[in-house]
Amino acid sequence: MEVTNALNKTNRRARLSPSVASNLTHEGGVSHNLGVSADEDIKRLDLYLNTAALMLAGDTFYTTASEDIRRIVANIIEVMQLDRKHNDKFVLQLAAYLRQKKLLRRTPQLVVVSAILSGSYDATTLAEYTSKVITRPDDAAELIAILNYFNEQEDLPHGSLPIAARDGIARALSKFNEYQLMKYELANKQVRLIDVMRLCRNQLLGSNKTINAVFGYLDGKRSERVKYIDALPMTSARKKLFALKGTEFSAERCTQLVKQANVTWEQLVSQFGSTREVWEVLISLKLVPGMAFLRNIRNMLQAQVPVDKIVEAAAGISVDKVYPHQIVGAYSYLLNQPEDNYKLADVKIVLDAIFSKVVDSTDTQGITIVMPDFSASMNSTVGGGKSELTCKDVSIALGLLCAQTSGIMVPWASRAEVVPIRKGHFMGQVETLNRVDVDHGTELHTAFKHLTDRKIYADRLIVISDMQVWPSGQSRYGKAEGTTFLDKYKKEVNPNVWVHSIDVRSNGTGQQFDPKNPKVSLMGGFTNDLLGMSIKAEQGVKEGKTAVESVLDEIRKM
């Protein structure tokens, strides 16, 4: 962190010629400014890239959360003008895509709130897409919290929650069961679940018995809650379970009660402690979902749960709900923690087993070489704030996932290096990659030069970066490095190579590749669907589409 902070303090914007018809990165390098394009699809692509990896969890390496919000709102307003012009709904489709496919929490709600306050969409469409961005009850509370934030700011759109949006929220909440609703009661938050339910009371009540009972239970005084218990069997079972003392917990006595109560792992550990018996009950009932499982491997080992039991439980995790960056992030975090009553080697065994499942479920075609950015800014957290996952974790994770066909990865910063990649022992390779020293700059051309000089062939190159290149290489002459050095690689190694550029930060200062290049696709985010999207982009071009159209088509399916 000291190196990262020191570099951050010395960042200076380069003074480039005003005649350069392009954008500048935060580091002063030249990039392609998609936002100024006259092409309407490029403007839509720009909004997607500016939101796909934006978590809004706090200030990031280059920008504050406040700056990001205002930049994105301005971007949304511009694309909504296209929606009005064509009677389209791309902005709302993007919001649903960001929530359901990119797994973002705040950014989709920010997009929907901007749409709600714009008055650009008819009531039926607005209700439909408000519902689509609420995949958990707390998403609805997040939406209201962002609306409240907008109304507190002088320079952001203002307004109340229209009936159409209330209809959408009610439609989403009515699909949740007792477990989901009570899990996200949000009793200690500024916007609680009951606050959301009260806002949508007219649309919500009467939709089903569970909703009515949960509303009555949360809305009344604690002394009045007993009248709703019969309609809430899970809550009733929880009361019986939590009446037990910590020392009274046993698998034989409590497994059935835990199943009936459908408690979360947090509730059970909080009530009865992080013991072997508690964890074994939890994993036997599959009550520790993907990300929570990753975070708690150390806790399970410290509680003396046998490694083979943890590996067996890990085998039951659906890879649809586990992402490479989560696995690598969990391991990278533990690398910096003391081995307190557990062995890191045991963690490796478990995480390798999970990562192998993800790799085995990934379809790869041809020879793929991944070129991850290892510059100083990539050591910052993805979401800012208290997030532990770094952009570098994301690049390593996606790299290990995609590089199986070529057997190499080419990390770059001030220089580039070829690193052999093999299947298996993934966490050991995470350690190897974290030790790679390519200095701290952001010199994209070094990776292309490395491949070109050595005539290393690839069917596709995947560049993973926050897109903040320095003013070096050919960029000082007014050309983005990606475009210049890709041309050289094509000329000397493979004229038919595809390049897929993945933006893992959404800084909003342009991209390194020209989106109009027929064999370049620009994508954003950090989920493992990106490899699949790259192959779809290639297929789309074969069918007569542009790469831009292929990427936007995935969003328009929402």
Side-chain angles (χ1 to χ4, degrees):
M1 285 302 295
E2 290 180 5
V3 171
T4 302
N5 290 335
L7 285 171
N8 195 21
K9 291 175 183 177
T10 59
N11 287 343
R12 294 291 185 272
R13 188 177 293 280
R15 295 183 178 275
L16 296 185
S17 167
S19 64
V20 175
S22 56
N23 205 31
L24 298 184
T25 70
H26 287 293
E27 294 290 355
V30 179
S31 64
H32 293 277
N33 185 352
L34 278 56
V36 301
S37 173
D39 186 311
E40 293 181 351
D41 271 351
I42 298 293
K43 287 183 180 295
R44 294 183 181 100
L45 181 72
D46 185 49
L47 178 59
Y48 154 66
L49 292 169
N50 286 340
T51 54
L54 189 67
M55 294 181 70
L56 296 175
D59 297 346
T60 60
F61 190 84
Y62 292 107
T63 59
T64 66
S66 176
E67 290 169 343
D68 286 333
I69 288 170
R70 281 148 182 82
R71 170 174 60 85
I72 293 303
V73 169
N75 203 174
I76 292 167
I77 290 171
E78 185 176 10
V79 178
M80 281 195 296
Q81 291 174 354
L82 298 179
D83 279 0
R84 285 194 292 270
K85 176 181 174 182
H86 299 288
N87 193 26
D88 200 358
K89 54 186 179 182
F90 177 79
V91 168
L92 291 172
Q93 290 170 322
L94 175 64
Y97 179 81
L98 294 175
R99 183 67 192 103
Q100 296 184 24
K101 301 297 184 182
K102 292 300 173 187
L103 309 179
L104 296 175
R105 293 286 320 285
R106 290 187 176 92
T107 305
Q109 313 305 330
L110 175 74
V111 176
V112 163
V113 167
S114 299
I116 286 171
L117 297 177
S118 73
S120 300
Y121 306 97
D122 65 82
T124 301
T125 302
L126 193 60
E128 177 189 355
Y129 281 91
T130 300
S131 176
K132 284 185 175 183
V133 298
I134 299 172
T135 61
R136 304 183 339 189
D138 56 335
D139 288 335
E142 192 71 52
L143 189 154
I144 301 303
I146 290 175
L147 177 66
N148 292 345
Y149 173 80
F150 271 50
N151 286 324
E152 292 166 359
Q153 307 298 308
E154 292 183 1
D155 59 341
L156 292 175
H158 288 194
S160 58
L161 193 69
I163 291 176
R166 296 176 196 228
D167 286 341
I169 293 173
R171 186 185 305 176
L173 292 182
S174 66
K175 295 177 182 177
F176 297 124
N177 59 29
E178 179 192 355
Y179 167 76
Q180 294 165 315
L181 291 166
M182 295 304 291
K183 178 180 179 180
Y184 295 108
E185 178 185 351
L186 308 173
N188 299 318
K189 298 289 186 179
Q190 286 186 335
V191 180
R192 302 164 300 169
L193 179 60
I194 188 59
D195 298 324
V196 178
M197 297 180 85
R198 286 169 181 160
L199 269 175
C200 307
R201 181 175 188 153
N202 293 339
Q203 294 83 3
L204 189 61
L205 294 187
S207 56
N208 61 61
K209 291 180 180 178
T210 299
I211 283 288
N212 292 346
V214 169
F215 182 88
Y217 185 86
L218 297 178
D219 192 49
K221 297 178 181 178
R222 286 190 174 273
S223 59
E224 299 174 350
R225 288 183 169 182
V226 64
K227 70 176 78 170
Y228 299 100
I229 285 295
D230 288 342
L232 299 171
M234 185 197 75
T235 303
S236 177
R238 285 184 179 186
K239 284 187 171 294
K240 294 177 184 177
L241 177 65
F242 293 151
L244 298 174
K245 297 177 181 178
T247 54
E248 296 177 306
F249 185 91
S250 69
E252 183 179 355
R253 179 178 187 179
C254 298
T255 298
Q256 190 59 33
L257 198 54
V258 169
K259 189 183 296 186
Q260 292 170 348
N262 208 359
V263 291
T264 66
W265 68 268
E266 298 102 320
Q267 291 169 326
L268 205 65
V269 170
S270 176
Q271 180 74 11
F272 299 109
S274 182
T275 67
R276 172 175 175 173
E277 203 154 21
V278 166
W279 284 114
E280 288 184 350
V281 167
L282 284 168
I283 61 178
S284 70
L285 296 176
K286 298 184 178 179
L287 291 177
V288 191
M291 187 57 189
F293 193 97
L294 296 175
R295 287 176 174 169
N296 282 294
I297 290 170
R298 179 175 63 163
N299 293 332
M300 294 180 209
L301 291 169
Q302 287 177 326
Q304 304 302 307
V305 179
V307 177
D308 58 345
K309 278 198 172 184
I310 301 174
V311 172
E312 183 182 351
I317 294 177
S318 170
V319 293
D320 292 338
K321 296 182 179 180
V322 177
Y323 300 92
H325 65 270
Q326 295 172 333
I327 303 169
V328 172
Y331 188 67
S332 295
Y333 171 75
L334 290 178
L335 281 174
N336 298 315
Q337 304 300 313
E339 291 188 50
D340 182 13
N341 202 29
Y342 79 100
K343 295 178 181 179
L344 192 62
D346 291 337
V347 176
K348 278 186 182 180
I349 293 170
V350 180
L351 292 180
D352 276 342
I354 300 173
F355 203 97
S356 291
K357 282 191 68 179
V358 177
V359 169
D360 290 342
S361 69
T362 302
D363 180 29
T364 56
Q365 300 174 12
I367 298 174
T368 301
I369 294 179
V370 180
M371 302 157 64
D373 179 354
F374 274 19
S375 63
S377 60
M378 293 288 284
N379 287 309
S380 62
T381 58
V382 168
K386 296 180 180 179
S387 169
E388 294 167 352
L389 181 72
T390 69
C391 293
K392 187 175 181 180
D393 290 335
V394 171
S395 69
I396 289 174
L398 290 174
L400 287 173
L401 181 69
C402 300
Q404 297 300 311
T405 56
S406 66
I408 63 170
M409 199 184 301
V410 186
W412 54 276
S414 297
R415 57 182 178 273
E417 183 176 318
V418 173
V419 179
I421 299 296
R422 65 188 187 281
K423 188 169 183 179
H425 303 288
F426 295 107
M427 296 309 107
Q429 293 181 85
V430 170
E431 291 183 55
T432 299
L433 287 162
N434 272 309
R435 288 194 296 268
V436 170
D437 180 12
V438 284
D439 214 345
H440 307 294
T442 315
E443 318 277 357
L444 176 56
H445 71 277
T446 62
F448 277 103
K449 188 175 186 302
H450 209 77
L451 292 172
T452 304
D453 289 349
R454 290 159 180 77
K455 301 294 186 290
I456 299 176
Y457 179 92
D459 293 304
R460 74 178 56 82
L461 302 171
I462 298 182
V463 177
I464 306 172
S465 174
D466 61 359
M467 303 298 154
Q468 298 306 302
V469 299
W470 287 13
S472 57
Q474 292 297 315
S475 67
R476 71 183 65 184
Y477 302 112
K479 296 181 181 179
E481 290 183 23
T483 297
T484 302
F485 288 91
L486 169 58
D487 289 344
K488 187 173 175 61
Y489 180 86
K490 283 185 170 182
K491 183 178 180 180
E492 298 185 20
V493 183
N494 180 9
N496 297 311
V497 70
W498 263 91
V499 170
H500 303 284
S501 177
I502 299 175
D503 187 340
V504 294
R505 169 64 86 192
S506 293
N507 277 303
T509 55
Q511 300 293 316
Q512 277 302 295
F513 299 91
D514 184 351
K516 293 186 177 181
N517 187 312
K519 288 199 171 184
V520 165
S521 75
L522 306 182
M523 298 178 286
F526 28 81
T527 49
N528 48 337
D529 65 332
L530 289 164
L531 181 59
M533 277 188 70
S534 69
I535 293 172
K536 286 179 182 177
E538 294 173 18
Q539 185 61 38
V541 169
K542 290 179 182 178
E543 296 170 357
K545 299 177 184 177
T546 67
V548 173
E549 288 170 340
S550 295
V551 171
L552 296 182
D553 280 352
E554 291 300 303
I555 298 170
R556 289 194 179 280
K557 290 177 182 177
M558 303 305 296

